[in-house]
Amino acid sequence: MPFGLRLFVKKRGTRRTGSRWQAMLAEGVVDAALLAIGLYGLYWLVTRFITVEGAGYNWWPWLVMVIPFALIAYGAVGVMTLLWKSYASTERRAATVQKATDWEIPGTDVKSAYPPLPTIPPIDAVVDSPGVRLAFRLPIDAAPGWVSATMAAICLTWNTLVAIFVIQILRQHVAGNPNWLLTWLMVPFVLAGLWTLAALGRQVLISAAIGTTRVEVSDHPFFPGERYQGLVSQTGRLHVRWFQVQLLCEEQAIYQQGTDTRIATARVYRDVVFSQRKFDITPGQAFESGFEFTIPVSAMHSFATSHNAVHWTLVVRGRVRTWGEIERRFLIFVYPAAAAEIPVRELTHSFVRNRPR
Amino acid sequence: MTTPGVRLTLDRPVAHYLPGDQLTGQFKIEGSKAWGVRSAELSVLWYTAGKGEEDMAVHHFERLVDDPSKPLDLRVPRPFAAKLPLGPLSYDGDIVKVCWCVRARLFLPHGQTAVAETAFRLGTVPAARPPGQEPDGDSLEAETEQAANS
């Protein structure tokens, strides 16, 4: 790698565009510069405005002090982090972080009803919703909701901007001074706006027509080798061609490719735990069916860290007339078999037994 | 400038442990030279490998410092012991792997370091896909359609 700064280069792959010490040096210089600017700014403010008697300044120098304080804090934290990184080994830093996360902040209730297992997501949020027939109603994966919200935001922004331009062009036409070049240039933008409206309308119609999917389970968390009961319910007005509930295990890896962050997924387990073909769902009568499923004995437990994860999911999939394929995902948590022997699990069972079935 | 060899051994001949087991072993500098080790760190840790960026966490950490009142002589084997946690279990997946190891890091004069590492397995989770079995190329959609129509 030739020596030299490459500031405006699109980095591809996993290679570095500079050496590690160059990066650390640059980071240190930037942090130190921010710290120095902040200190000088604070000194300047204090000597020129705060301590001058009878200058007539009231509150604003105090408000402006936020800027140098922010620079001082950012620069100081950056310098200290850099020094700590160069002084302490990776393991020592990780151990310190681990120790810090173990501290309990006074006044906060951090105790969970379930065993604290590192890297295994806590299930408290999943089990706070009781089911109608079984113990727990699983919360639906929020991803499709985010798709609708994003589509609505894009549609609104795009069409607002297009409407502003269209109104200006129409005014020109009404005033008898039409700009035909601008008018024709607006056509593709208007068509794109109409397309976003149609897509949003279809998304809303699908959400309304397909209705709610509900999945309930008899227990949570799940343990390898054990068998559980489930219940799936689907509302709406649908002519269903096929309808399945699948138990999936997927790995997820987040990695940097150049300056891009990418997510890779790999499915390592799939079991169809419920399947039915060709039936109708009417608005007055929701489709409801029970099923049973077993977590495989050799299953890896749920695992989630900053960049890597193993997710277990109950996926409701189907194909319906008019609307095509539907898919709803429900995240579940599989704990290691050894965690089943923790007395806390008794708490879970007593909790479950008190629930209406 | 050379660095000393570090011998890190686990007491069990087969490096396979279950959650809650006691992991024991020892580490020492190879040979009879003192090397003037300033400090030494012993960590029991897990890290991820595979396609994603590496995540790691230290489960057990010991730091030994050379002190005039208590000189650090690593020619004498240093035992260590740690109770293993319930998770994460060792895992050999398609794109995510969880690996456990014991790592000894020695800090020598002039900023030099010497590192030794011994891997072990925690738990009995088998590989996501047995060796030789490639991931199937069919998409979930195609498989689902096929399963539904069968």
Side-chain angles (χ1 to χ4, degrees):
Chain A
M1 173 70 60
F3 182 82
L5 285 174
R6 300 172 65 190
L7 293 175
F8 304 106
V9 179
K10 172 71 177 170
K11 200 161 84 70
R12 297 185 190 284
T14 54
R15 66 185 164 78
R16 289 177 180 277
T17 54
S19 67
R20 190 181 291 272
W21 72 265
Q22 273 181 331
M24 284 182 76
L25 186 68
E27 200 181 336
V29 167
V30 169
D31 288 333
L34 288 175
L35 182 61
I37 292 167
L39 286 170
Y40 179 75
L42 188 63
Y43 170 77
W44 187 77
L45 272 174
V46 169
T47 54
R48 296 286 291 272
F49 299 101
I50 306 288
T51 56
V52 175
E53 285 183 20
Y57 302 112
N58 39 29
W59 52 269
W60 72 264
W62 295 97
L63 188 67
V64 173
M65 281 174 79
V66 171
I67 298 168
F69 271 123
L71 290 172
I72 290 167
Y74 192 87
V77 168
V79 168
M80 282 191 289
T81 307
L82 204 63
L83 287 174
W84 173 238
K85 272 184 184 175
S86 54
Y87 170 72
S89 66
T90 316
E91 297 84 30
R92 192 178 174 193
R93 292 202 306 270
T96 308
V97 169
Q98 182 64 41
K99 200 173 279 182
T101 51
D102 288 345
W103 289 346
E104 285 184 18
I105 301 167
T108 58
D109 183 20
V110 293
K111 285 190 173 69
S112 162
Y114 303 96
L117 297 162
T119 74
I120 301 169
I123 59 162
D124 302 47
V126 181
V127 296
D128 65 352
S129 179
V132 178
R133 300 286 177 87
L134 298 175
F136 302 113
R137 175 183 176 165
L138 295 176
I140 196 165
D141 186 7
W146 281 109
V147 170
S148 298
T150 310
M151 280 177 72
I154 290 170
C155 180
L156 190 70
T157 311
W158 183 271
N159 285 304
T160 305
L161 289 171
V162 168
I164 291 167
F165 280 100
V166 167
I167 288 166
Q168 292 297 326
I169 290 166
L170 284 175
R171 275 183 184 166
Q172 288 177 343
H173 279 273
V174 170
N177 185 25
N179 185 338
W180 287 106
L181 178 65
L182 196 60
T183 306
W184 286 110
L185 278 175
M186 279 306 294
V187 170
F189 291 93
V190 173
L191 290 175
L194 291 174
W195 181 83
T196 59
L197 275 172
L200 181 66
R202 181 181 155 76
Q203 187 72 22
V204 171
L205 273 175
I206 287 174
S207 304
I210 290 176
T212 316
T213 309
R214 194 178 86 236
V215 172
E216 294 180 7
V217 289
S218 59
D219 212 339
H220 221 148
F222 301 108
F223 294 94
E226 291 200 20
R227 194 160 181 81
Y228 300 94
Q229 291 178 324
L231 178 125
V232 62
S233 164
Q234 177 68 53
T235 61
R237 183 193 292 276
L238 301 168
H239 300 286
V240 181
R241 291 186 175 159
W242 56 265
F243 190 82
Q244 288 188 345
V245 181
Q246 300 175 356
L247 176 65
L248 292 187
C249 178
E250 289 172 320
E251 297 172 4
Q252 187 183 72
I254 300 173
Y255 61 99
Q256 292 288 128
Q257 193 165 45
T259 50
D260 301 330
T261 301
R262 295 177 187 275
I263 299 176
T265 54
R267 179 164 37 90
V268 290
Y269 182 81
R270 184 178 71 92
D271 185 24
V272 178
V273 295
F274 173 79
S275 184
Q276 192 163 326
R277 296 187 67 198
K278 292 187 177 164
F279 61 97
D280 288 341
I281 300 173
T282 53
Q285 195 171 12
F287 169 76
E288 218 173 72
S289 181
F291 58 90
E292 288 193 338
F293 62 100
T294 304
I295 305 294
V297 179
S298 60
M300 173 60 177
H301 57 77
S302 298
F303 173 78
T305 55
S306 305
H307 303 98
N308 298 275
V310 176
H311 293 308
W312 284 88
T313 327
L314 280 171
V315 184
V316 177
R317 291 175 63 87
R319 181 183 282 278
V320 293
R321 200 188 296 169
T322 312
W323 304 110
E325 285 207 4
I326 57 169
E327 181 181 303
R328 303 265 164 91
R329 287 175 167 256
F330 299 84
L331 197 63
I332 58 172
F333 296 103
V334 174
Y335 275 25
E341 289 158 18
I342 295 180
V344 178
R345 187 162 182 252
E346 296 297 322
L347 280 175
T348 317
H349 275 281
S350 61
F351 180 58
V352 171
R353 274 198 295 273
N354 292 336
R355 293 278 160 201
R357 300 239 175 195
Chain B
M1 192 175 283
T2 56
T3 53
V6 183
R7 181 178 291 174
L8 177 59
T9 50
L10 301 178
D11 289 344
R12 279 194 194 176
V14 179
H16 194 175
Y17 296 82
L18 292 175
D21 278 359
Q22 189 80 0
L23 174 88
T24 54
Q26 56 185 23
F27 69 105
K28 64 182 282 261
I29 282 182
E30 287 180 328
S32 55
K33 190 177 169 184
W35 289 96
V37 176
R38 289 180 170 179
S39 61
E41 292 174 357
L42 187 284
S43 325
V44 179
L45 59 101
W46 63 263
Y47 60 90
T48 59
K51 200 163 188 175
E53 301 285 312
E54 185 186 280
D55 294 311
M56 66 96 78
V58 173
H59 168 66
H60 173 84
F61 183 77
E62 287 176 35
R63 183 173 159 83
L64 309 165
V65 183
D66 185 36
D67 194 290
S69 62
K70 200 177 173 186
L72 183 62
D73 185 1
L74 289 179
R75 289 172 296 182
V76 181
R78 287 272 171 171
F80 60 85
K83 191 184 178 194
L84 293 170
L86 296 175
L89 302 180
S90 297
Y91 178 60
D92 187 11
D94 275 1
I95 58 171
V96 174
K97 296 171 201 312
V98 180
C99 313
W100 277 91
C101 73
V102 184
R103 191 179 287 168
R105 192 184 289 272
L106 272 50
F107 294 87
L108 306 162
H110 311 296
Q112 283 191 305
T113 55
V115 182
E117 194 174 294
T118 300
F120 66 92
R121 279 192 68 80
L122 177 64
T124 55
V125 177
R129 226 171 284 279
Q133 186 184 333
E134 293 299 316
D136 44 18
D138 292 341
S139 66
L140 180 61
E141 288 72 22
E143 268 187 41
T144 307
E145 190 82 41
Q146 195 180 4
N149 292 332
S150 61

